Amino acid sequence: MEAKTRSEETAAAESTRPAPPALPWPVRLQIFALVTATDLAQRRDGTVNRFLFSLGDRQTPASPRPDARGVRSADITIDASRNLWARVYSPATVEAGSAPLPVVVYFHGGGFVFLSAASLPLDGMGRSFCHELGAVVVSVNYRLAPEHRYPAAYDDGEAVLRHLGAHGLPADISVPVDLSRCFLAGDSAGGNIAHHVAQRWTSSPSNNNPVRLAGVVLLQPYFGGEERTEAELRLEGVAPVVNIRRSDWSWRAFLPLGANRNHPAAHVTGEAGPEPELQEAFPPAMVAVGGLDPLQDWQRRYASMLLRKGRKARLVEFPDAIHAFYCFPDLPDAVKLVQEIKAFMSAH
């Protein structure tokens, strides 16, 4: 009976499978380069060929010179012993007497395995967020799996918050900031990290640390489970970027050896285990969901879980959006997303 049910689910998913998304050619080419580099770098034994991936991962250095939008960047060391650093985006000038700016601590995507704070698309996002949101953006270069499995990325996220509370930003970043208005944000795997860091931070608050979480912004967060959801089956072979094989490989690379996808790091929605314990201080959340993202069912379940537990959650739907659409500024939904984030931050 179980096999028949799975077969029926697969058949139903195939019958409703949409056509591949219509994307501009420049976006298609960028996605092709990214997924090709990813597929070549994912070895069958669970290790990564970092050299091959680097061929498709264009990186850019920080620049103290303001760009056309008046944003400059600087790399800061958080913990040299584990090569933990962050790229800080700040406006070159602020008006005298203006209020201190909020801080957005950002965690990039890449399946816990790929990309960095210096990757070109993520550098562009950091600059855009700084300019459009009126915030100082701290983009975290956390340690990557499989060399550094769970919970290394979560540990690194907490370390950044402790560093900001203890040391603030370097003196050459002369923009005043308000650490009591700190937002955690992340895309894909970075959204997963943002959730878990927020859960940890609010579960063990420090009275001496000025960092207070005003909100979490999760852009198509990477959650999962052993179950194959309707969207995962329906969009297999249709949606770019994420597919079942790549996703399963990433979970195996990140989770503890021997763990399955119902591990609490991946599965946070309660169907196959206990829901996460969230304190009253867990901040309001904005969850962005794309209609052409195979992970969308997990993301909606996550928002529902927050609401069940009495937390504030705002679900923002982009019906035509693929996974990682925010990396492509030419897509109209990427512009709309920034507007939604700005409204969320203003409300909190």
Side-chain angles (χ1 to χ4, degrees), residues 10 41 138 178 181 204 255 286 300 336:
T10 302
V138 180
D178 181 1
R181 291 186 63 214
S204 303
L255 295 174
M286 171 184 155
R300 294 192 187 96
K336 296 177 185 176

Side-chain angles (χ1 to χ4, degrees), residues 153-238:
Y154 305 161
D155 294 342
D156 290 351
E158 276 194 288
V160 170
L161 297 185
R162 289 194 298 269
H163 178 91
L164 289 175
H167 305 288
L169 295 172
D172 57 346
I173 301 175
S174 56
V175 178
V177 297
D178 181 1
L179 291 176
S180 69
R181 291 186 63 214
C182 181
F183 293 83
L184 299 186
D187 67 273
S188 194
N192 176 298
I193 296 169
H195 159 77
H196 285 285
V197 172
Q199 183 185 8
R200 285 180 169 204
W201 192 254
T202 53
S203 296
S204 303
S206 171
N207 293 329
N208 298 323
N209 195 304
V211 173
R212 296 291 181 269
L213 301 185
V216 287
V217 178
L218 310 185
L219 311 181
Q220 299 178 308
Y222 186 34
F223 299 121
E226 286 295 295
E227 173 193 351
R228 299 298 187 197
T229 66
E230 185 276 336
E232 287 175 315
L233 295 173
R234 175 170 49 86
L235 294 172
E236 180 69 5
V238 175

Side-chain angles (χ1 to χ4, degrees), residues 263-331:
H263 186 279
H267 189 75
V268 300
T269 50
E271 295 84 10
E275 293 180 346
E277 294 185 7
L278 301 180
Q279 302 301 316
E280 288 294 326
F282 190 88
M286 171 184 155
V287 184
V289 177
L292 292 174
D293 180 6
L295 304 176
Q296 61 188 276
D297 292 336
W298 296 113
Q299 295 153 6
R300 294 192 187 96
R301 292 181 188 183
Y302 173 76
S304 296
M305 178 274 293
L306 294 180
L307 293 173
R308 283 197 306 273
K309 298 183 77 68
R311 305 281 77 79
K312 295 180 180 179
R314 184 179 180 214
L315 191 67
V316 183
E317 299 266 5
F318 297 88
D320 299 321
I322 62 171
H323 192 79
F325 70 94
Y326 32 78
C327 292
F328 308 104
D330 292 337
L331 296 180

Side-chain angles (χ1 to χ4, degrees), residues 22-327:
L23 298 170
W25 276 108
V27 173
R28 292 188 191 185
L29 291 173
Q30 291 177 68
I31 291 174
F32 175 79
L34 174 64
V35 299
T36 300
T38 299
D39 290 344
L40 290 173
Q42 290 179 333
R43 296 188 178 118
R44 292 183 179 180
D45 64 0
T47 60
V48 177
N49 189 322
R50 298 254 174 233
F51 172 75
L52 281 180
F53 185 76
S54 71
L55 300 179
D57 179 24
R58 295 176 59 196
Q59 301 203 356
T60 185
S63 175
R65 291 187 176 183
D67 62 15
R69 293 170 290 191
V71 175
R72 61 182 182 177
S73 60
D75 292 342
I76 63 171
T77 298
I78 306 297
D79 184 345
S81 69
R82 49 178 146 164
N83 193 29
L84 176 59
W85 56 274
R87 180 161 294 180
V88 180
Y89 302 90
S90 61
T93 59
V94 293
E95 294 183 7
S98 58
L101 299 180
V103 175
V104 175
V105 177
Y106 195 86
F107 302 96
H108 66 80
F112 304 103
V113 176
F114 298 112
L115 303 175
S116 79
S119 296
L120 190 60
L122 296 165
D123 184 81
M125 287 173 59
R127 293 178 178 279
S128 175
F129 286 169
C130 175
H131 175 71
E132 298 294 339
L133 303 178
V136 169
V137 177
V138 180
S139 182
V140 180
N141 197 71
Y142 56 87
R143 290 170 294 171
L144 299 176
E147 297 89 345
H148 304 282
R149 293 175 175 269
Y150 163 93
Y154 305 161
D155 294 342
D156 290 351
E158 276 194 288
V160 170
L161 297 185
R162 289 194 298 269
H163 178 91
L164 289 175
H167 305 288
L169 295 172
D172 57 346
I173 301 175
S174 56
V175 178
V177 297
D178 181 1
L179 291 176
S180 69
R181 291 186 63 214
C182 181
F183 293 83
L184 299 186
D187 67 273
S188 194
N192 176 298
I193 296 169
H195 159 77
H196 285 285
V197 172
Q199 183 185 8
R200 285 180 169 204
W201 192 254
T202 53
S203 296
S204 303
S206 171
N207 293 329
N208 298 323
N209 195 304
V211 173
R212 296 291 181 269
L213 301 185
V216 287
V217 178
L218 310 185
L219 311 181
Q220 299 178 308
Y222 186 34
F223 299 121
E226 286 295 295
E227 173 193 351
R228 299 298 187 197
T229 66
E230 185 276 336
E232 287 175 315
L233 295 173
R234 175 170 49 86
L235 294 172
E236 180 69 5
V238 175
V241 185
V242 172
N243 61 25
I244 289 175
R245 182 192 59 78
R246 293 186 191 116
S247 181
D248 287 357
W249 189 97
S250 292
W251 284 125
R252 287 194 300 271
F254 174 68
L255 295 174
L257 290 173
N260 65 24
R261 296 187 303 276
N262 287 337
H263 186 279
H267 189 75
V268 300
T269 50
E271 295 84 10
E275 293 180 346
E277 294 185 7
L278 301 180
Q279 302 301 316
E280 288 294 326
F282 190 88
M286 171 184 155
V287 184
V289 177
L292 292 174
D293 180 6
L295 304 176
Q296 61 188 276
D297 292 336
W298 296 113
Q299 295 153 6
R300 294 192 187 96
R301 292 181 188 183
Y302 173 76
S304 296
M305 178 274 293
L306 294 180
L307 293 173
R308 283 197 306 273
K309 298 183 77 68
R311 305 281 77 79
K312 295 180 180 179
R314 184 179 180 214
L315 191 67
V316 183
E317 299 266 5
F318 297 88
D320 299 321
I322 62 171
H323 192 79
F325 70 94
Y326 32 78
C327 292

